[in-house]
Amino acid sequence: MSLDAGDTHRSKPRARRGGVRRDPTAATISRVADAAGVSRATVSRVMNGSTTVAPELAARVRAAAEALNYEPSLLARSLALGRTSTVSLIVPDLANPMFQDILRGLSTAAGAHGHRLMVAESNENAEAEQILAVEARRRSDGLVLASSRIPEPQLRALHERLAPLVLLNREIPGTAVPSLSVDYHAGIRAIVAHLLGYGHRRLVYLAGPPASTSNTDRLVTLRAEAAGSPGFDLTELDCGSTFETGHAAARAVLATGATAVVAFNDMVAFGALSGLHELGVSVPGQVSITGFGDIPFARYTTPPLTTASIPKNELGGQAWERLWALMSGASPGYDARFQPRLLVRDTTGPAPA
């Protein structure tokens, strides 16, 4: 019976939850089960890769699923298996190309094993990193912490909760957490030897974030080199890890009277190079500059940057190998410490007379 506009009993259309109407003809696990003549539980086991289903039944289920164009729910599959096929990476600064290269290496390796990569940035905030780490691990099958800023006591307290866990540029001595690190001591010694060989005796270090363990490694080595080399004068300036902080430090660098700058990383070195250029300072004629990391832009600055090279893509790939081993119940193998390679370019030269 039709109702006209004046009918006070006109029924109102009901809002459908979510605003999306389900297709009644869409393939479901029940339809696949009916078509194959098996239970829904059998379909679920076959779709989840179980080997406990008889081969002829499994073949019937797969044929029915293909005929009906059935695709199992990823969420349901994750809940059934207790796995998400996702791993997480947390970095302190996504703007730094070094971490982007690590991300690319990890993502490529994980993707080859059917896993997706979830990425989060702590923005150099140790407290935020702890929260992110716990949340990311809850939503994924494993976690990689790159250059973690979490203080060691808190990291020790957290590491079992975050497992399976792999650390990059960080170690927790006395634990079984696998780590991949860079020998920053060796890299800094090579930089200092290079600068001393050019006759530089007054060096300034543009220090990285205080919470960075690699910054601590650099400082320890620089201080030891200064103490063991007569006439070597070292000045330390708090700086940071970005182009902006390096740029802002240019005037302070000049005020130290140093003839060479050892920057925490390449981004800081780029900033210092730009700031000194704006002040009319010749590099390397008046001041030499070194970076650390050899990010892709390092060879294209004017002049090209002298720096220490790190195998960033390899760090990401090897992090996956260890994480995959842990997730599979296997041994992650040995920890690795990579040796930086000094790349001498045009931002360093003889100390001015």
Side-chain angles (χ1 to χ4, degrees):
M1 179 179 66
S2 63
L3 299 176
D4 63 28
D7 194 326
T8 58
H9 297 287
R10 181 186 298 275
S11 61
K12 296 181 180 179
R14 293 183 180 179
R16 188 174 297 274
R17 184 174 297 177
V20 178
R21 187 173 182 177
R22 288 184 59 85
D23 179 0
T25 65
T28 65
I29 192 169
S30 295
R31 291 188 67 203
V32 173
D34 290 342
V38 299
S39 69
R40 291 177 55 181
T42 298
V43 175
S44 178
R45 287 199 297 273
V46 173
M47 293 294 101
N48 288 331
S50 173
T51 59
T52 63
V53 180
E56 67 174 78
L57 287 183
R60 275 172 29 203
V61 169
R62 283 192 287 269
E66 184 176 354
L68 293 169
N69 197 26
Y70 171 70
E71 294 184 4
S73 163
L74 289 176
L75 176 59
R77 186 173 189 273
S78 296
L79 291 173
L81 296 177
R83 298 194 299 269
T84 66
S85 294
T86 299
V87 294
S88 296
L89 169 68
I90 296 179
V91 302
D93 180 13
L94 270 174
N96 189 330
M98 186 186 82
F99 294 117
Q100 293 172 15
D101 284 345
I102 290 173
L103 185 160
R104 188 174 297 112
L106 177 58
S107 179
T108 300
H113 286 77
H115 280 64
R116 300 174 298 277
L117 181 64
M118 182 168 65
V119 184
E121 177 190 39
S122 67
N123 197 28
E124 297 287 357
N125 186 314
E127 184 176 351
E129 184 183 324
Q130 293 181 62
I131 297 170
L132 283 171
V134 172
E135 182 65 16
R137 176 60 188 90
R138 189 174 69 83
R139 294 171 178 266
S140 59
D141 300 330
L143 177 66
V144 176
L145 286 180
S147 299
S148 174
R149 306 310 195 209
I150 301 174
E152 184 168 323
Q154 286 91 318
L155 191 54
R156 282 186 177 277
L158 272 176
H159 81 270
E160 291 184 357
R161 186 178 176 188
L162 300 178
L165 169 68
V166 174
L167 295 175
L168 296 183
N169 290 327
R170 188 71 186 269
E171 298 174 346
I172 315 178
T175 71
V177 179
S179 69
L180 298 165
S181 57
V182 174
D183 191 342
Y184 291 102
H185 301 286
I188 288 295
R189 283 194 294 268
I191 287 173
V192 169
H194 170 65
L195 293 173
L196 294 182
Y198 267 141
H200 295 279
R201 292 297 179 269
R202 303 187 69 180
L203 274 60
V204 58
Y205 175 54
L206 297 183
S212 166
T213 57
S214 65
N215 179 64
T216 301
D217 289 348
R218 289 163 167 84
L219 276 170
V220 166
T221 304
L222 283 166
R223 290 167 182 171
E225 292 291 305
S229 303
F232 176 2
D233 180 48
L234 174 68
T235 301
E236 301 169 14
L237 293 178
D238 292 335
C239 185
S241 60
T242 66
F243 179 97
E244 290 79 10
T245 58
H247 186 275
R251 288 189 183 277
V253 166
L254 286 182
T256 67
T259 62
V261 176
V262 178
F264 170 71
N265 62 18
D266 288 350
M267 295 299 291
V268 171
F270 293 167
L273 178 62
S274 175
L276 290 173
H277 175 75
E278 291 175 8
L279 295 173
V281 177
S282 171
V283 176
Q286 294 170 266
V287 177
S288 289
I289 298 178
T290 64
F292 211 113
D294 191 34
I295 63 177
F297 310 122
R299 70 190 67 184
Y300 303 117
T301 55
T302 304
L305 181 67
T306 293
T307 186
S309 177
I310 297 171
K312 300 168 285 297
N313 278 324
E314 190 171 352
L315 281 170
Q318 291 210 19
W320 166 255
E321 289 180 9
R322 284 155 177 77
L323 191 61
W324 175 246
L326 290 173
M327 292 191 301
S328 304
S331 168
Y334 59 90
D335 289 347
R337 181 173 287 248
F338 294 90
Q339 296 296 309
R341 181 166 58 96
L342 181 65
L343 298 177
V344 178
R345 298 193 179 112
D346 297 337
T347 55
T348 52

